[in-house]
Structure formats: C-alpha cells, structure tokens
Amino acid sequence: MSRLEHASARYRSLRCSAIAAELPELLAQAEDNALSYLAFAELLAEREHHAREHKRLTANHRRARLPADKRLEAFDYRHQSTITKRQVNALLDFGFIDNRENLVFIGPPGVGKTHLAIGLANRALAAGYKVLFRSALELVEELELAEMKGELKKHIAQLTRFDLLIIDELGYLPMSRQARYNLFQLVHSFYEYRSLILTTNKDFTDWGEFFHNDNVAVPIIDRVIHHSHIYVLGGESYRLKQKTTG
Ligand code: ADP
Ligand code: MG
C-alpha cells in the first residue's frame, strides 16, 4: 500500500469519505496553487464539510416525499393575483418555521395551493429544514394504521421530528370520527412545537360542518388557526387556463 493509499484509508476509517476519495486531486490542487499549510488544512475541512452538508440535504429532500417538482420561480403571479410575490418572499426567511407558525392556503382547485406549498418546501429544504409532505388522505390512512397497531403516539412522535409538515387537500374527503380524533392528536402534538402548511378547499366557516361539528373538530380548527398565516386564493384554475389557451 502506497503512502497515499494509506492516508486515504485512514481518512476513510475516520469517516472523512470525501477527503478519502479526492485526496490525490486535493493534493494536486495544493501543489498547483502553492497553498500554505493552513490553506490546505482549510481546503480539506471545507471539502468534507461541503460533502456532508450536500449528503444531508439530499437525504432530507428524499425523505420529504414531494409529489412533484414545483418551484416558486415558476409561479406566475400575473395569473394568480390574490397572493403577491412580496407575500411569498416574506415567508422565505422561514421565521414561520422558527416561530412554529402555520400557513393555510385556502381556495378552489387549480389555483396554485399545492404548487406554493411544494415551492416553499423546496426552499425550506435548501435552507436545511426537515420537511414532510403528505396528502390528507395518506396522512389519515397512516395514522389509522398506526392507531390500529397501538402505535399512534409513537408514529406522531416520529412526525414531529420534521420541522414542517405539509398536509395537502384537507377537507376534500369526509373523515370518520376516529380519523378526526387521530388528526386532532397530531395537530395537538404540533401545536406551538412544529409548523404545518395546510392546503384546503374549505373556508374555516365550512370546517365545523366538514368535521361534523363535533367536539374533536373544534379544537383542531382552533389550534390550527391560532398562530397561522391564512391566504385565501381565488381566480381561475390554472389547469383550465392551460386547457383553453395552450
Ligand atoms: P391546487 O393545489 O390549488 O388545486 P395546483 O397547485 O396543483 O392547484 O395547480 C394546478 C397546476 O397548475 C399545477 O401544475 C401547478 O403547477 C399549476 N399552477 C397553478 N397556479 C399556477 C401559477 N400561478 N403559476 C404557475 N403554475 C401554476
Ligand atoms: Mg392541490
């Protein structure tokens, strides 16, 4: 084993896999640029740090399970004029996540609620936050499964490891009383501890009805609305516009 191979193997055993893999190139770079000892030490540290950061963000992105690749850059504010770019940009310092506040996007189908939620998720992930995307239907199903196994609390605790949970399309389908109860447990665990983004076609005035005016639903609504930024989106469906003009 050459000295270089030996040094690489040492770095690998110390779990500095980026340095281990790129040691010949890093050495060549140091020689070509006549780097000082300190500059070389910095180069190695930065390379490893950068690789780990990239790995962490990539893993977070995969775990987020975003259903589509939607970017805020592609959002057309001329079509959707009931929310402004300024309003959306104001969210990008992620104070809402740091302060455990919620966002609620309300509006009819096709007006860009899910697009905005995924676009914000992408930016939050790039900023290092842990995000999880779930449709309301998927979430209700997985909570039901956990509840049947007697693992509802444990499952919810796992969900609270994310900084931000997106619940998409809440209110589209009716929910059983047990489903409402499970959801209440989740919202209760997130309250003032983690952030939610909800997209829904229901105005809050309809929510009581949607949740059958029961004593489980009212506290859910109350907790979600408290500390939340609510955006009511209107206008025409973007899907419909594309059908008719494109
Ligand atoms: P919603 O969740 O409100 O039903 P979506 O966000 O799924 O609507 O939007 C439907 C489709 O139209 C998606 O493909 C989305 O990317 C696109 N879309 C909606 N609004 C806009 C917009 N203002 N600019 C660009 N694309 C949009
Ligand atoms: Mg949607």
Short mmCIF file of all heavy atoms in Angstrom, two decimals, residues 70 74-80 107-116 168-169 172 199 233 237-239 242, ligand 1:
data_model
loop_
_atom_site.label_atom_id
_atom_site.label_comp_id
_atom_site.label_asym_id
_atom_site.label_seq_id
_atom_site.Cartn_x
_atom_site.Cartn_y
_atom_site.Cartn_z
N LYS A 70 -42.10 21.29 -8.06
CA LYS A 70 -42.66 22.63 -8.30
C LYS A 70 -41.76 23.67 -7.66
O LYS A 70 -41.34 23.49 -6.51
CB LYS A 70 -44.06 22.74 -7.68
CG LYS A 70 -45.07 21.77 -8.26
CD LYS A 70 -45.45 22.13 -9.68
CE LYS A 70 -46.39 21.07 -10.27
NZ LYS A 70 -46.62 21.32 -11.70
N ALA A 74 -41.17 29.36 -10.82
CA ALA A 74 -42.07 29.12 -11.95
C ALA A 74 -43.50 29.58 -11.66
O ALA A 74 -44.38 29.43 -12.50
CB ALA A 74 -42.06 27.63 -12.30
N PHE A 75 -43.71 30.16 -10.48
CA PHE A 75 -45.08 30.58 -10.14
C PHE A 75 -45.40 31.90 -10.82
O PHE A 75 -44.65 32.86 -10.73
CB PHE A 75 -45.23 30.69 -8.62
CG PHE A 75 -46.66 30.71 -8.17
CD1 PHE A 75 -47.41 29.55 -8.13
CD2 PHE A 75 -47.27 31.91 -7.79
CE1 PHE A 75 -48.74 29.56 -7.73
CE2 PHE A 75 -48.60 31.92 -7.38
CZ PHE A 75 -49.34 30.75 -7.35
N ASP A 76 -46.53 31.92 -11.50
CA ASP A 76 -46.92 33.09 -12.29
C ASP A 76 -47.90 33.95 -11.47
O ASP A 76 -49.06 33.58 -11.30
CB ASP A 76 -47.58 32.59 -13.59
CG ASP A 76 -48.03 33.73 -14.48
OD1 ASP A 76 -47.90 34.91 -14.08
OD2 ASP A 76 -48.53 33.44 -15.58
N TYR A 77 -47.39 35.07 -10.97
CA TYR A 77 -48.21 35.95 -10.13
C TYR A 77 -49.15 36.82 -10.95
O TYR A 77 -50.00 37.51 -10.41
CB TYR A 77 -47.33 36.83 -9.24
CG TYR A 77 -46.55 36.04 -8.22
CD1 TYR A 77 -45.26 35.59 -8.51
CD2 TYR A 77 -47.09 35.73 -6.97
CE1 TYR A 77 -44.54 34.85 -7.60
CE2 TYR A 77 -46.38 35.00 -6.05
CZ TYR A 77 -45.10 34.55 -6.37
OH TYR A 77 -44.38 33.81 -5.45
N ARG A 78 -48.98 36.81 -12.26
CA ARG A 78 -49.94 37.55 -13.10
C ARG A 78 -51.22 36.74 -13.21
O ARG A 78 -52.32 37.26 -13.20
CB ARG A 78 -49.36 37.82 -14.49
CG ARG A 78 -48.45 39.04 -14.53
CD ARG A 78 -47.62 39.03 -15.77
NE ARG A 78 -46.95 37.73 -15.89
CZ ARG A 78 -46.16 37.37 -16.88
NH1 ARG A 78 -45.96 38.20 -17.89
NH2 ARG A 78 -45.59 36.19 -16.91
N HIS A 79 -51.05 35.41 -13.29
CA HIS A 79 -52.25 34.58 -13.32
C HIS A 79 -52.91 34.53 -11.94
O HIS A 79 -54.12 34.65 -11.81
CB HIS A 79 -51.92 33.16 -13.78
CG HIS A 79 -53.12 32.26 -13.77
ND1 HIS A 79 -54.07 32.29 -14.76
CD2 HIS A 79 -53.55 31.37 -12.84
CE1 HIS A 79 -55.03 31.43 -14.46
NE2 HIS A 79 -54.75 30.86 -13.30
N GLN A 80 -52.05 34.33 -10.92
CA GLN A 80 -52.58 34.22 -9.54
C GLN A 80 -52.31 35.53 -8.81
O GLN A 80 -51.26 35.72 -8.22
CB GLN A 80 -51.90 33.04 -8.83
CG GLN A 80 -52.33 32.86 -7.39
CD GLN A 80 -53.82 32.94 -7.18
OE1 GLN A 80 -54.37 34.02 -6.94
NE2 GLN A 80 -54.49 31.82 -7.30
N GLY A 107 -58.60 27.69 -1.04
CA GLY A 107 -59.09 28.10 -2.36
C GLY A 107 -59.59 26.92 -3.17
O GLY A 107 -59.33 25.76 -2.82
N PRO A 108 -60.27 27.21 -4.26
CA PRO A 108 -60.81 26.15 -5.12
C PRO A 108 -59.68 25.41 -5.85
O PRO A 108 -58.53 25.85 -5.80
CB PRO A 108 -61.70 26.92 -6.11
CG PRO A 108 -61.13 28.31 -6.14
CD PRO A 108 -60.59 28.56 -4.77
N PRO A 109 -60.00 24.31 -6.52
CA PRO A 109 -58.97 23.52 -7.21
C PRO A 109 -58.26 24.32 -8.31
O PRO A 109 -58.87 25.17 -8.96
CB PRO A 109 -59.75 22.37 -7.85
CG PRO A 109 -61.01 22.27 -7.08
CD PRO A 109 -61.33 23.67 -6.61
N GLY A 110 -56.96 24.06 -8.45
CA GLY A 110 -56.22 24.58 -9.60
C GLY A 110 -55.66 25.97 -9.45
O GLY A 110 -55.07 26.51 -10.39
N VAL A 111 -55.81 26.58 -8.26
CA VAL A 111 -55.36 27.98 -8.13
C VAL A 111 -53.92 28.10 -7.61
O VAL A 111 -53.44 29.21 -7.39
CB VAL A 111 -56.32 28.82 -7.24
CG1 VAL A 111 -57.68 28.93 -7.89
CG2 VAL A 111 -56.43 28.23 -5.83
N GLY A 112 -53.24 26.95 -7.43
CA GLY A 112 -51.81 27.01 -7.10
C GLY A 112 -51.45 26.73 -5.65
O GLY A 112 -50.31 26.95 -5.24
N LYS A 113 -52.39 26.20 -4.87
CA LYS A 113 -52.13 25.94 -3.45
C LYS A 113 -51.00 24.93 -3.27
O LYS A 113 -50.06 25.15 -2.51
CB LYS A 113 -53.40 25.41 -2.75
CG LYS A 113 -54.60 26.34 -2.86
CD LYS A 113 -55.81 25.79 -2.12
CE LYS A 113 -56.33 24.45 -2.64
NZ LYS A 113 -56.86 24.53 -4.04
N THR A 114 -51.10 23.81 -3.97
CA THR A 114 -50.10 22.76 -3.83
C THR A 114 -48.76 23.21 -4.41
O THR A 114 -47.70 22.93 -3.85
CB THR A 114 -50.59 21.46 -4.50
OG1 THR A 114 -51.84 21.10 -3.92
CG2 THR A 114 -49.61 20.32 -4.32
N HIS A 115 -48.82 23.94 -5.52
CA HIS A 115 -47.60 24.47 -6.13
C HIS A 115 -46.84 25.34 -5.12
O HIS A 115 -45.63 25.17 -4.93
CB HIS A 115 -47.97 25.27 -7.38
CG HIS A 115 -46.79 25.72 -8.20
ND1 HIS A 115 -46.71 25.52 -9.55
CD2 HIS A 115 -45.64 26.36 -7.85
CE1 HIS A 115 -45.56 26.02 -10.00
NE2 HIS A 115 -44.90 26.54 -8.99
N LEU A 116 -47.55 26.24 -4.47
CA LEU A 116 -46.91 27.12 -3.48
C LEU A 116 -46.35 26.31 -2.31
O LEU A 116 -45.23 26.56 -1.86
CB LEU A 116 -47.91 28.15 -2.95
CG LEU A 116 -48.26 29.29 -3.91
CD1 LEU A 116 -49.41 30.12 -3.35
CD2 LEU A 116 -47.04 30.18 -4.17
N ASP A 168 -51.76 18.26 2.49
CA ASP A 168 -52.34 18.76 1.26
C ASP A 168 -53.78 18.25 1.08
O ASP A 168 -54.05 17.08 1.36
CB ASP A 168 -51.47 18.29 0.08
CG ASP A 168 -51.79 19.02 -1.22
OD1 ASP A 168 -52.06 20.23 -1.17
OD2 ASP A 168 -51.76 18.38 -2.28
N GLU A 169 -54.64 19.13 0.64
CA GLU A 169 -56.02 18.76 0.31
C GLU A 169 -56.83 18.30 1.51
O GLU A 169 -57.57 17.31 1.43
CB GLU A 169 -56.06 17.68 -0.78
CG GLU A 169 -55.31 18.07 -2.02
CD GLU A 169 -55.79 17.31 -3.26
OE1 GLU A 169 -56.28 16.19 -3.10
OE2 GLU A 169 -55.66 17.86 -4.35
N TYR A 172 -61.16 17.64 1.38
CA TYR A 172 -61.74 17.18 0.12
C TYR A 172 -62.62 15.94 0.33
O TYR A 172 -63.60 15.76 -0.34
CB TYR A 172 -60.65 16.86 -0.91
CG TYR A 172 -60.05 18.10 -1.54
CD1 TYR A 172 -59.21 18.94 -0.83
CD2 TYR A 172 -60.32 18.42 -2.88
CE1 TYR A 172 -58.66 20.07 -1.41
CE2 TYR A 172 -59.77 19.54 -3.47
CZ TYR A 172 -58.94 20.37 -2.73
OH TYR A 172 -58.40 21.49 -3.30
N THR A 199 -53.23 22.88 2.89
CA THR A 199 -53.98 23.40 1.74
C THR A 199 -55.37 22.79 1.82
O THR A 199 -55.54 21.64 2.21
CB THR A 199 -53.35 23.04 0.37
OG1 THR A 199 -53.76 21.72 0.01
CG2 THR A 199 -51.84 23.15 0.38
N LEU A 233 -56.87 32.09 -1.69
CA LEU A 233 -56.56 32.22 -3.11
C LEU A 233 -57.84 32.09 -3.93
O LEU A 233 -58.69 31.26 -3.62
CB LEU A 233 -55.56 31.15 -3.55
CG LEU A 233 -54.26 31.04 -2.77
CD1 LEU A 233 -53.34 30.02 -3.43
CD2 LEU A 233 -53.55 32.38 -2.68
N SER A 237 -58.87 28.40 -12.35
CA SER A 237 -57.97 27.26 -12.29
C SER A 237 -56.89 27.41 -13.35
O SER A 237 -57.19 27.70 -14.51
CB SER A 237 -58.74 25.97 -12.53
OG SER A 237 -57.83 24.93 -12.86
N TYR A 238 -55.64 27.22 -12.97
CA TYR A 238 -54.52 27.29 -13.91
C TYR A 238 -54.60 26.14 -14.90
O TYR A 238 -54.26 26.27 -16.06
CB TYR A 238 -53.22 27.23 -13.12
CG TYR A 238 -52.01 27.67 -13.88
CD1 TYR A 238 -51.66 29.00 -13.97
CD2 TYR A 238 -51.18 26.73 -14.52
CE1 TYR A 238 -50.54 29.42 -14.66
CE2 TYR A 238 -50.05 27.13 -15.21
CZ TYR A 238 -49.74 28.48 -15.28
OH TYR A 238 -48.62 28.87 -15.96
N ARG A 239 -55.09 25.01 -14.42
CA ARG A 239 -55.23 23.84 -15.31
C ARG A 239 -56.20 24.16 -16.44
O ARG A 239 -55.95 23.86 -17.60
CB ARG A 239 -55.78 22.64 -14.52
CG ARG A 239 -54.85 22.13 -13.45
CD ARG A 239 -55.37 20.81 -12.91
NE ARG A 239 -54.64 20.38 -11.74
CZ ARG A 239 -55.03 20.55 -10.49
NH1 ARG A 239 -56.19 21.15 -10.24
NH2 ARG A 239 -54.32 20.12 -9.49
N GLN A 242 -54.73 26.51 -18.96
CA GLN A 242 -53.81 25.84 -19.90
C GLN A 242 -54.57 25.05 -20.95
O GLN A 242 -54.16 25.01 -22.10
CB GLN A 242 -52.89 24.90 -19.12
CG GLN A 242 -51.80 25.67 -18.39
CD GLN A 242 -50.73 24.73 -17.87
OE1 GLN A 242 -51.04 23.68 -17.32
NE2 GLN A 242 -49.49 25.12 -18.03
P1 ADP B 1 -54.34 23.46 -6.30
O1 ADP B 1 -53.44 22.76 -5.34
O2 ADP B 1 -54.76 24.83 -5.83
O3 ADP B 1 -55.52 22.64 -6.72
P2 ADP B 1 -52.06 23.26 -8.04
O4 ADP B 1 -51.04 23.97 -7.24
O5 ADP B 1 -51.97 21.77 -8.06
O6 ADP B 1 -53.52 23.73 -7.63
O7 ADP B 1 -52.02 23.83 -9.52
C1 ADP B 1 -52.51 23.07 -10.64
C2 ADP B 1 -51.47 23.09 -11.75
O8 ADP B 1 -51.31 24.41 -12.25
C3 ADP B 1 -50.10 22.68 -11.27
O9 ADP B 1 -49.44 22.01 -12.33
C4 ADP B 1 -49.40 23.99 -10.96
O10 ADP B 1 -48.00 23.89 -11.12
C5 ADP B 1 -50.01 24.92 -11.97
N1 ADP B 1 -50.20 26.28 -11.46
C6 ADP B 1 -51.22 26.72 -10.68
N2 ADP B 1 -51.14 28.03 -10.46
C7 ADP B 1 -50.01 28.45 -11.07
C8 ADP B 1 -49.36 29.72 -11.21
N3 ADP B 1 -49.88 30.83 -10.67
N4 ADP B 1 -48.21 29.77 -11.92
C9 ADP B 1 -47.71 28.66 -12.49
N5 ADP B 1 -48.28 27.45 -12.41
C10 ADP B 1 -49.41 27.32 -11.72
#
